[in-house]
Structures are given as C-alpha cells and as structure tokens.
Amino acid sequence: MKKHPQIIDRIIEILREHQTFCIVGHMRPDGDCIGSQLGLALALRAEGKKVTVWNQDAIPQKYKFLNTADLFEKPRRGEKFDCVIATDCASYERLGKVTECITERKILINIDHHVSNTRYGDVNWVSPREPSCGELIYRLLKVARWPITKPMADLLFTAVSTDTGSFQYSTTRPGTFHTGAELVTRGADLAKICDEVYQSYPLSRARLLKHVYSTFRLAENNQIAWFWLKQKDFDRTGAESDDTEGLIDHIRAIEPVVVACVFEEVGPDLTRISLRSKSDKVNVSEICGQFGGGGHPAAAGARIAGTPLSTQRKVIAAVKKALKAAK
Ligand SMILES: [Mn+2]
C-alpha cells in the first residue's frame, strides 16, 4: 500500500482504543457530510463500538434512502462519549446546536477537507486537496483494513459523488475515480444512488426553479448572476430550505457568468449566501471570509446579519472587487 500520513495511524489508534462515539456534521448536512458520518459509523459498529450519529438539521429528503440502519439519534443531555468525531465540518460553530450535546467527551477528532478549516479538534486531519470528506473516510477504512460492506460503499460513493458534482468539478482527481471504482466493486448501487440523488426532486423544487429563472439578476457585464429566496417564495412554492441545494448551478451554468450567488432569507434581517466561482482567479472562500464564512475556492458560503438590501449591496460589491482584481 501507498505511504499514508501518520495522522491516519494516529486516528485509527484512537478509534481502536475507545468504545463510545458520537459522529457529528455541519448544519444543513449535504451528501458528503451524511455519507461520511454514516459510512464511518457503520465501520465503527462493525468493530463492536457504540456509535451515535447526530446533526442539528434533519437529513434532506433525497438522502433519506441512505439511512437504512436508522443511525441518527439525539444524544441525551450530558451524555458521555469517549470520542466525538466531526466530519466535513469547517469550524466548531458550523456544528450548530450539536455542540450542546457533545460537551462530555475525552477527545474531539476533526476530519475534513475544507481549506478554511479552523483546526478546532484535539486531533485534526484536514486535507484540502481531497475533493470530498468521503474520500478521507474511505482511506481511513482502507488503512485500518476494516471491511467496506455494500451499505458503506453506497454511503461513501454518495459522499464522493455529490461533492465532486458527480465527478465533474476540477477538484476531481484520478484517485477519485479509483475510489469510485472500488466502491462500485464493493457493491455501491450506482443506478439507485444517481436516481435518488440527481434524477428525482419534489414538485415544490420545480416551482422554485421557475422562480429562479424568472427572477435572477445579472451585473458587471453578465459576469455576476444572483437570485433571492425569500420566506414568501418558500411559502408560495411549498418548498423547504433543503430543496435549494444545487439551484445555484442553474445560474452558474450561464456562459458569461463567472460568479454566481444565492441570497436566502433565513430569519429577520439574516441572510445565508452561497457563492460559486468558475475562475481560479476568483476565490469565493476569501469573499465569504470577509463576512465570517468560508468554504472552498470555487464554492463557499456565509451568514450575514443586516437588511436584505444592504447585504446584497455589500456582497455584490465584494464580488465586483474580486473580479476587478482578477483581471
Ligand atoms: Mn464536503
């Protein structure tokens, strides 16, 4: 086997030494987060460990098919864990309310691939080169020589696939295909996963899409595109915040657009922004960092307090500045 960083050995040693685990992920969990959490949870259970999995927010509808073993359970108040593992989570704050449930722990392990990761764990395995956290979990299981069963393969394949835009983003490397191939060899049901994750969505999302196409705005010679999702848009379409994942790709795909932005009203005078960049000269993780957020160079987000209009002005101004600097 290829040489692997010592940090993996260290983590495996900690996992072997301890008995009770809580695996947590970020707010509004995505496919990579859930796939990584549940994949690791199944592996630890197979090793005879006691494992709880918990997130602040529920699993989005399209990933529910993955939770076959019904592993999510809110920890009791003051429940003690030997070891808490955070997967795919860039900062301790991004865990949200989960932090209240995991205070009684001996050790916190942080396994992540976000370049903005704040290294909040007692042990940190942060590998920004990796396109998904799922790939890190896969390597962990390989190095530990723990068997990867079909359910684990489904979970990790979903993680790798969703965070690479189905093996399309430029972060995808030859190793990503090797990982995908091996997971399919181990039983990952490609057809089922792609059908559930990419080829199926609720009617409410179609209504939301109509809203996106009829309201998106352009600026800076069509290099910036954005749209708003207000509370009234959710009420009117029957959509939930979960249904918004991937909507941004519809404006990102417009040829002259370099930076796409979604503004989502998440509370009174509180906006969640998501940014995507198609230029390696425009780092949206840096732009979101100006507003207390972060992420990846090509995909990032933040939560911003203030009136919708002032938020929009500030963000669009920051994007314009980044575009000018990139020239
Ligand atoms: Mn991820």
Side-chain angles (χ1 to χ4, degrees):
M1 189 175 295
K2 262 188 326 208
K3 208 174 154 289
H4 47 79
Q6 280 177 339
I7 184 74
I8 306 187
D9 296 321
R10 171 115 193 269
I11 289 173
I12 291 166
E13 209 178 283
I14 296 167
L15 300 182
R16 289 195 206 276
E17 264 169 21
H18 292 98
Q19 198 50 36
T20 57
F21 294 85
C22 187
I23 305 177
V24 295
H26 58 76
M27 297 186 255
R28 299 172 54 91
D30 57 11
D32 187 29
C33 185
I34 288 165
S36 297
Q37 284 180 284
L38 292 178
L40 179 57
L42 290 182
L44 287 172
R45 282 207 173 177
E47 292 300 300
K49 311 290 183 183
K50 189 169 175 290
V51 188
T52 302
V53 183
W54 191 242
N55 288 327
Q56 174 189 293
D57 300 312
I59 307 189
Q61 186 59 38
K62 65 176 166 182
Y63 298 124
K64 284 201 172 134
F65 75 101
L66 290 170
N67 189 21
T68 47
D70 210 10
L71 290 168
F72 283 88
E73 195 189 334
K74 188 174 183 178
R76 295 183 313 275
R77 247 192 186 293
E79 186 165 348
K80 291 189 168 70
F81 298 103
D82 291 335
C83 180
V84 171
I85 307 164
T87 60
D88 197 40
C89 186
S91 70
Y92 197 65
E93 295 68 40
R94 282 273 291 153
L95 292 170
K97 291 198 180 100
V98 161
T99 55
E100 296 164 13
C101 313
I102 53 167
T103 52
E104 298 296 312
R105 61 177 188 245
K106 290 185 200 155
I107 193 160
L108 174 63
I109 301 177
N110 163 18
I111 303 177
D112 185 35
H113 71 125
H114 290 90
V115 67
S116 60
N117 192 289
T118 57
R119 307 188 74 88
Y120 53 87
D122 302 308
V123 176
N124 300 285
W125 181 20
V126 179
S127 181
R129 304 181 60 226
E130 226 64 48
S132 66
C133 188
E135 222 172 305
L136 295 176
I137 303 298
Y138 169 80
R139 280 171 61 196
L140 183 80
L141 303 194
K142 289 282 283 184
V143 175
R145 296 176 183 272
W146 288 339
I148 298 173
T149 62
K150 182 201 177 302
M152 293 178 208
D154 279 338
L155 288 157
L156 297 179
F157 188 90
T158 303
V160 174
S161 172
T162 52
D163 254 30
T164 56
S166 200
F167 301 87
Q168 291 178 53
Y169 297 160
S170 61
T171 52
T172 309
R173 297 181 303 169
T176 317
F177 288 100
H178 287 293
T179 303
E182 183 147 352
L183 291 170
V184 173
T185 305
R186 302 205 181 208
D189 190 340
L190 189 57
K192 162 96 174 157
I193 293 167
C194 292
D195 190 45
E196 294 275 357
V197 176
Y198 302 114
Q199 308 296 339
S200 161
Y201 52 71
L203 181 58
S204 54
R205 186 187 160 95
R207 294 193 189 109
L208 215 48
L209 214 43
K210 211 154 121 184
H211 163 80
V212 170
Y213 276 110
S214 57
T215 62
F216 79 85
R217 306 267 309 270
L218 294 160
E220 205 67 4
N221 212 9
N222 303 333
Q223 291 182 94
I224 310 173
W226 76 90
F227 60 84
W228 272 91
L229 296 169
K230 297 272 179 76
Q231 195 49 55
K232 64 173 178 7
D233 302 317
F234 290 106
D235 297 343
R236 194 164 41 83
T237 56
E240 287 173 25
S241 200
D242 284 355
D243 298 326
T244 64
E245 200 185 329
L247 284 180
I248 194 170
D249 296 328
H250 291 267
I251 57 168
R252 182 193 175 277
I254 301 167
E255 194 270 325
V257 170
V258 178
V259 176
C261 183
V262 176
F263 296 90
E264 184 181 338
E265 181 183 51
V266 288
D269 287 340
L270 185 63
T271 304
R272 193 173 74 91
I273 60 162
S274 292
L275 263 63
R276 299 288 182 274
S277 167
K278 291 198 299 208
S279 162
D280 49 18
K281 290 184 188 145
V282 180
N283 182 335
V284 288
S285 182
E286 269 170 22
I287 297 174
C288 289
Q290 298 168 27
F291 302 99
H296 306 289
R303 293 163 83 88
I304 306 174
T307 65
L309 196 59
S310 71
T311 300
Q312 181 182 306
R313 281 194 185 128
K314 278 190 278 189
V315 173
I316 300 298
V319 174
K320 282 183 184 170
K321 204 173 152 207
L323 280 168
K324 289 207 175 93
K327 275 212 185 106

